[in-house]
């Protein structure tokens, strides 16, 4: 399936946020890319703001349009506030949980670990990044992958208490997905209500 593989800093500058993690270039050039980026003062329409928020969420979680719409439709059918449920579904993706556990430095890296069969769920290898992790599931590193330098480097010194909905077992190199995160616990600066408004038109 196609994925965005272009310059990540360009996307981060477009939204004015480090959506792929720490970005040194963004710290120096916090304005849109392009010849007139620094001087652009165009007012964005209501639709433009809604579209921008949807695109930001898609880039942030590495989800394509069809997948994103399917998740939105699922969220709309689920009991609760649609925007919050949408973010909870995104947070429950296996690649995101691997990232939150500190096994990978970014979501794209977590996706790659999943695709290359380095990750297990409840003891079985799962290589589907969009796999829906459920409360009680144990996500870990495959036994023969525990010595991988990239994984060891990421886990070294990672603060596993950052996210209250997951619990890490250092000795087993796995984490338990305790419960679906509440909106106030999700650190992403996404205005999910704008996404709901966009799809509700």
């Amino acid at each position: 399936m196609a994925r965005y593989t272009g310059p990540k800093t360009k996307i981060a500058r477009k939204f004015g946020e480090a959506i792929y993690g720490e970005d040194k270039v963004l710290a120096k050039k916090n304005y849109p890319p392009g010849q007139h980026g620094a001087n652009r003062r165009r007012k964005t329409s209501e639709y433009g703001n809604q579209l921008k928020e949807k695109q930001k969420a898609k880039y942030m979680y590495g989800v394509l349009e069809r997948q994103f719409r399917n998740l939105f439709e699922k969220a709309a059918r689920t009991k609760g506030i649609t925007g919050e449920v949408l973010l909870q579904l995104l947070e429950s993706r296996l690649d995101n949980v691997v990232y939150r556990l500190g096994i990978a430095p970014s979501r794209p890296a977590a996706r790659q670990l999943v695709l290359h069969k380095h990750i297990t769920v409840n003891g079985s290898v799962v290589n589907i990044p969009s796999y829906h992790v459920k409360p009680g599931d144990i996500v870990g590193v495959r036994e023969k992958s525990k010595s991988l330098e990239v994984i060891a480097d990421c886990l070294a010194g990672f603060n596993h208490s950052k996210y209250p909905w997951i619990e890490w077992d250092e000795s087993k190199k796995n984490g338990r997905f305790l419960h679906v995160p509440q909106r106030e616990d999700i650190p992403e600066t996404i205005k999910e209500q704008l996404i709901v408004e966009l799809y509700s038109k």
Side-chain angles (χ1 to χ4, degrees), residues 119-193:
I119 302 300
T120 62
V121 178
N122 299 326
S124 300
V125 173
V126 177
N127 65 340
I128 303 169
S130 61
Y131 177 89
H132 181 71
V133 181
K134 296 176 283 297
D137 282 352
I138 296 175
V139 177
V141 181
R142 192 178 180 182
E143 192 60 42
K144 69 177 186 179
S145 302
K146 289 180 180 178
S147 59
L148 282 176
E149 188 177 346
V150 63
I151 294 176
D153 287 349
C154 285
L155 289 173
F158 185 81
N159 178 15
H160 287 101
S161 63
K162 282 202 298 187
Y163 309 113
W165 66 91
I166 50 180
E167 183 179 70
W168 179 253
D169 187 327
E170 181 57 34
S171 62
K172 296 179 181 177
K173 292 287 186 292
N174 65 32
R176 184 184 295 274
F177 190 75
L178 299 174
H179 57 80
V180 174
Q182 297 301 307
R183 177 62 186 101
E184 58 267 23
D185 293 327
I186 300 173
E188 312 304 352
T189 58
I190 295 171
K191 298 172 185 173
E192 63 273 12
Q193 185 54 37

Side-chain angles (χ1 to χ4, degrees), residues 70-72 74-76 78 84-93 132 180:
N70 287 342
L71 282 171
F72 176 82
K74 184 176 181 180
T78 305
E84 289 186 20
V85 175
L86 174 62
L87 289 186
Q88 289 170 339
L89 289 173
L90 288 166
E91 284 290 329
S92 300
R93 284 172 54 97
H132 181 71
V180 174

